[in-house]
């Protein structure tokens, strides 16, 4: 009997030496990336700072002004991207999930986004050539991720996998690739790389992609939505989040605070639908 206990103990020790951690299956993690509308362009308001402690954010950069350190989890009070960004779809995505799921479920988000960037910035094989041509005002933001936003997202995601389970990926990007018919294939490269680098399965990790400011709001990049609509043809587990009727800012390029709240809820509603389908199946 004592011998069996010793063997079992050794097996347990070996298991933890291999994994180094034990995942909490009730901690659902979502990766968020894109350009300014995922980064967060609108100022958050007092109502946005009241957050359920079950909704967490992993800080992807050091933010002394917020008392946050890179790679640590915090209650998801905005800003959720970098130290001085604004309200994003991720804010009300997480809040809606927390309000809709059982209390045992926690939600975590990791947001690595760069205002104005093309999807090429997240192509791990070609990002350096894109950075070489990026405008100077963008260079500083890229440097906050040690010059490689994609790798920072992967590094933070691997760290997050020690705590919970990655359930999905949120994308809001396309304005800088407007009218680029190859955009879906470029997104697929990033999505496929994320799955491979994080040992994820496409069937289990959907990609939710939001539309740019809609034509019904005078969106200056609204023509891109026709291309975004084709994304599921390239990525079977991709789902497009409509921006129809979502209010925007004066520049007709970014959403306003209410728009980010609405869009975030729509991301969440789609994810809840997918979770329910998986549960039934």
């Amino acid at each position: 009997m004592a011998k069996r206990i010793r063997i079992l103990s050794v097996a347990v020790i070996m298991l933890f030496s291999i994994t180094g951690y034990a995942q909490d299956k009730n901690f659902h993690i979502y990766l968020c990336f894109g350009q300014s509308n995922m980064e967060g362009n609108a100022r958050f308001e007092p109502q946005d700072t009241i957050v359920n402690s079950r909704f967490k954010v992993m800080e992807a950069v050091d933010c002394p002004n917020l008392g946050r350190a890179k790679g640590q989890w915090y209650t998801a009070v905005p800003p959720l991207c970098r130290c001085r960004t604004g309200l994003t779809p991720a804010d009300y995505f997480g809040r809606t999930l927390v309000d809709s799921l059982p209390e045992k479920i926690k939600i975590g988000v990791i947001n690595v986004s760069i205002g104005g960037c093309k999807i090429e910035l997240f192509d791990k094989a070609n990002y350096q050539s894109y950075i070489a041509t990026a405008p100077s005002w963008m260079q500083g933001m890229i440097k906050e991720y040690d010059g490689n936003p994609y790798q920072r997202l992967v590094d933070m995601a691997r760290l997050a996998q020690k705590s919970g389970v990655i359930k999905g990926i949120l994308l809001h990007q396309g304005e800088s690739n407007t009218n680029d018919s190859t955009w879906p294939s470029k997104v697929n490269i990033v999505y496929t790389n994320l799955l491979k680098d994080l040992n994820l399965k496409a069937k289990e990790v959907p990609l939710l992609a939001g539309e740019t400011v809609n034509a019904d709001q005078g969106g200056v990049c609204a023509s891109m939505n026709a291309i975004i609509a084709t994304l599921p043809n390239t990525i079977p587990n991709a789902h497009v989040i409509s921006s129809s009727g979502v209010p925007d800012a004066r520049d007709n390029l970014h959403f306003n605070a209410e728009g980010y709240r609405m869009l975030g809820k729509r991301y969440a509603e789609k994810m809840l639908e997918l979770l329910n389908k998986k549960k039934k199946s």
Side-chain angles (χ1 to χ4, degrees):
M1 182 66 180
K3 184 178 181 180
R4 290 181 179 178
I5 292 175
R6 285 197 299 272
I7 293 173
L8 180 59
S9 299
V10 171
V12 171
I13 292 171
M14 289 180 66
L15 175 63
F16 276 88
S17 67
I18 293 171
T19 62
Y21 56 86
Q23 290 180 319
D24 180 356
K25 293 182 179 179
N26 290 322
F27 189 12
H28 297 180
I29 296 164
Y30 294 88
L31 310 182
C32 309
F33 74 102
Q35 57 182 107
S36 56
N37 273 318
M38 183 58 81
E39 180 185 76
N41 186 260
R43 292 183 180 180
F44 50 87
E45 301 170 358
Q47 62 177 302
D48 305 314
T49 62
I50 303 171
V51 185
N52 189 312
S53 61
R54 287 166 48 219
F55 179 28
K56 305 291 185 182
V57 60
M58 176 178 279
E59 195 62 61
V61 298
D62 288 319
C63 288
N65 65 309
L66 301 176
R68 297 179 185 175
K70 180 180 69 178
Q72 299 296 316
W73 289 109
Y74 301 93
T75 299
V77 177
L80 302 188
C81 189
R82 295 189 308 284
C83 312
R84 292 179 173 82
T85 52
L87 200 64
T88 88
D91 283 276
Y92 281 80
F93 169 78
R95 293 164 192 249
T96 304
L97 288 185
V98 163
D99 290 342
S100 304
L101 293 170
E103 289 190 6
K104 66 180 181 180
I105 303 296
K106 293 188 300 181
I107 300 297
V109 295
I110 303 170
N111 190 339
V112 174
S113 300
I114 296 286
C117 77
K118 289 187 175 183
I119 193 65
E120 286 85 344
L121 179 60
F122 292 93
D123 182 343
K124 72 175 188 177
N126 299 299
Y127 75 97
Q128 290 178 318
S129 60
Y130 174 75
I131 292 176
T133 65
S136 57
W137 56 263
M138 190 186 297
Q139 299 285 350
M141 293 186 286
I142 295 173
K143 287 180 180 178
E144 290 193 56
Y145 298 115
D146 291 333
N148 190 344
Y150 173 84
Q151 189 60 50
R152 179 61 58 84
L153 181 59
V154 169
D155 290 345
M156 295 298 98
R158 286 175 176 161
L159 185 58
Q161 285 178 308
K162 297 180 180 181
S163 304
V165 181
I166 295 173
K167 290 286 188 176
I169 301 172
L170 279 59
L171 168 67
H172 201 289
Q173 194 281 329
E175 293 88 350
S176 293
N177 289 86
T178 297
N179 299 325
D180 179 358
S181 62
T182 65
W183 181 83
S185 63
K186 293 176 180 177
V187 172
N188 190 37
I189 289 172
V190 181
Y191 176 66
T192 301
N193 284 336
L194 285 172
L195 296 178
K196 182 178 180 180
D197 289 341
L198 298 171
N199 195 27
L200 302 171
K201 297 179 180 179
K203 290 183 179 180
E204 297 177 358
V205 182
L207 175 66
L208 278 56
E211 291 183 336
T212 64
V213 174
N214 206 275
D216 63 20
Q217 303 296 310
V220 295
C221 296
S223 62
M224 185 62 187
N225 290 336
I227 294 173
I228 294 174
T230 69
L231 189 60
N233 297 336
T234 302
I235 303 174
N237 203 14
H239 306 270
V240 177
I241 310 304
S242 172
S243 65
S244 177
V246 178
D248 67 334
R250 292 182 179 179
D251 61 7
N252 295 131
L253 180 63
H254 301 98
F255 300 97
N256 60 22
E258 181 56 28
Y260 286 120
R261 297 182 192 111
M262 289 177 61
L263 197 61
K265 290 175 182 177
R266 291 184 182 184
Y267 273 94
E269 288 165 358
K270 173 53 69 173
M271 192 65 217
L272 288 168
E273 177 187 323
L274 297 173
L275 290 172
N276 287 332
K277 285 183 179 178
K278 184 177 180 179
K279 185 177 180 181
K280 291 179 181 178
S281 64

